[in-house]
Amino acid sequence: MRLTMLGTGNALVTEVYNTCFVIENENQYLLVDGGGGSEILKRLKDAKISIADIHHIFVTHKHIDHILGIVWMTRIICQNMQKGAYEGDAYIYGHEEVIALIQELSEKLLQKKQTDFIGKRVHLVVVTDGEKEIIGKKVTFFDIHSTKAKQFGFCMELEEGQKLTCCGDEPYCDWEEKYAKGSKWLLHEAFCVYGERDIFKPYEKHHSTVKDACELAEHLKIPNLVLWHTEDKNMLHRQEKYMKEGKQYYTGTLYIPEDLDVLKL
């Protein structure tokens, strides 16, 4: 299994793309979020992942840096279906507000000949707390109880007895412990380093710092921690700076990926 980072930045970045990623299992692909626009198409091309191979998409919440790229994905998938260039069906998962918004945006922004495929071959699937099988793996969706827009995270089964947990783009809360604890991989946002909290003000935006995420992963005894959804003001030194702070609080393997990096799960 592989994790491909299409973007690693927060909502307002300009030097990298908004955080979104693809999980691959035996030539099956799950796209998680779509970033803020058509750049998602180029990112997939640069990652050498064909849209024709993506049959499962999960959207964590309705913020524009996560959902607008999904409108483009919906358009291209429907367009390819119309041309006979997309085999099989596509499934877009999200909680009820996300699914309703994707339906509304598609109807208002896309052509009828494209939206005719929605409900027939493009299936908008409402998720609640619970399990589904996606790309051959058990996936458990859970409401993260966001204080902003409603948002879902997920756990995915890896090898037997192992799992990956994505906490969305907000700080972990104790309610999520039953999902995150025991994970081999934890995907967590880190808006900035703790040492620059007065500059970027992560707590006012309900986000974490590198220190916070690393202390959490150390407490939960997570062996692999991936940090993303960051600021982009000094990309030349982002990885070095985040790694230096993180290693003060976390003894596991820490990843600060760049856009288009690939991690073997």
Side-chain angles (χ1 to χ4, degrees):
M1 296 183 68
R2 301 196 312 170
L3 171 71
T4 300
M5 291 304 312
L6 302 179
T8 58
N10 63 35
L12 299 180
V13 292
T14 56
E15 302 303 315
V16 292
Y17 192 49
N18 312 120
T19 295
C20 52
F21 58 98
V22 173
I23 297 176
E24 175 189 350
N25 178 48
E26 296 180 349
N27 297 316
Q28 299 180 80
Y29 299 86
L30 168 65
L31 170 64
V32 180
D33 289 334
S38 63
E39 178 72 14
I40 184 66
L41 309 180
K42 184 178 187 303
R43 294 293 164 143
L44 288 167
K45 180 181 178 181
D46 290 345
K48 295 180 171 53
I49 298 173
S50 171
I51 291 174
D53 291 329
I54 296 177
H55 293 274
H56 299 276
I57 298 171
F58 172 55
V59 187
T60 58
H61 61 299
K62 64 183 183 182
H63 286 170
I64 58 175
D65 57 315
H66 295 260
I67 201 169
L68 291 186
I70 303 304
V71 178
W72 281 95
M73 288 295 297
T74 304
R75 172 183 173 173
I76 296 300
I77 289 172
C78 290
Q79 190 171 295
N80 287 347
M81 286 178 172
Q82 182 188 354
K83 295 177 179 177
Y86 188 99
E87 296 183 3
D89 291 4
Y91 299 84
I92 303 177
Y93 308 90
H95 63 71
E96 68 274 12
E97 293 178 20
V98 162
I99 293 301
L101 185 55
I102 292 172
Q103 179 82 50
E104 181 181 3
L105 289 172
S106 298
E107 290 173 353
K108 289 184 175 180
L109 299 176
L110 306 184
Q111 298 179 44
K112 186 177 183 302
K113 61 185 179 181
Q114 296 162 355
T115 58
D116 280 347
F117 288 98
I118 296 177
K120 296 177 182 177
R121 292 180 59 195
V122 176
H123 307 282
L124 304 183
V125 182
V126 173
V127 300
T128 56
D129 290 349
E131 298 177 0
K132 290 187 179 295
E133 183 170 311
I134 301 174
I135 65 170
K137 294 294 183 179
K138 183 176 74 174
V139 177
T140 303
F141 295 106
F142 57 90
D143 188 336
I144 71 167
H145 294 188
S146 171
T147 58
K148 299 191 291 186
K150 185 174 183 177
Q151 181 170 174
F152 270 61
F154 69 93
C155 297
M156 174 175 277
E157 174 188 65
L158 301 176
E159 301 303 324
E160 187 173 346
Q162 299 179 344
K163 65 179 179 178
L164 169 151
T165 299
C166 173
C167 295
D169 76 345
E170 292 191 19
Y172 165 93
C173 65
D174 291 340
W175 184 87
E176 298 171 81
E177 181 173 358
K178 62 182 178 181
Y179 300 105
K181 194 170 185 178
S183 296
K184 181 180 180 181
W185 291 83
L186 181 66
L187 316 180
H188 200 284
E189 57 89 26
F191 200 81
C192 63
V193 293
Y194 183 77
E196 295 181 342
R197 64 194 182 281
D198 291 337
I199 299 173
F200 295 106
K201 305 188 184 307
Y203 303 129
E204 293 180 14
K205 303 176 178 72
H206 198 58
H207 286 303
S208 304
T209 66
V210 171
K211 173 179 179 288
D212 302 324
C214 287
E215 287 180 333
L216 165 67
E218 187 72 13
H219 171 71
L220 294 176
K221 297 179 171 60
I222 305 291
N224 299 282
L225 174 63
V226 180
L227 299 183
W228 54 28
H229 202 268
T230 77
E231 47 79 26
D232 67 340
K233 300 309 178 190
N234 188 353
M235 289 305 301
L236 187 62
H237 300 291
R238 178 182 68 167
Q239 198 170 59
E240 176 187 358
K241 180 169 60 176
Y242 282 41
M243 194 70 72
K244 181 179 179 181
E245 178 171 285
K247 284 300 185 180
Q248 297 178 55
Y249 306 98
Y250 178 60
T251 57
T253 303
L254 180 60
Y255 298 86
I256 316 295
E258 304 287 355
D259 288 17
L260 300 177
D261 277 358
V262 178
L263 305 179
K264 184 177 180 180
L265 300 175

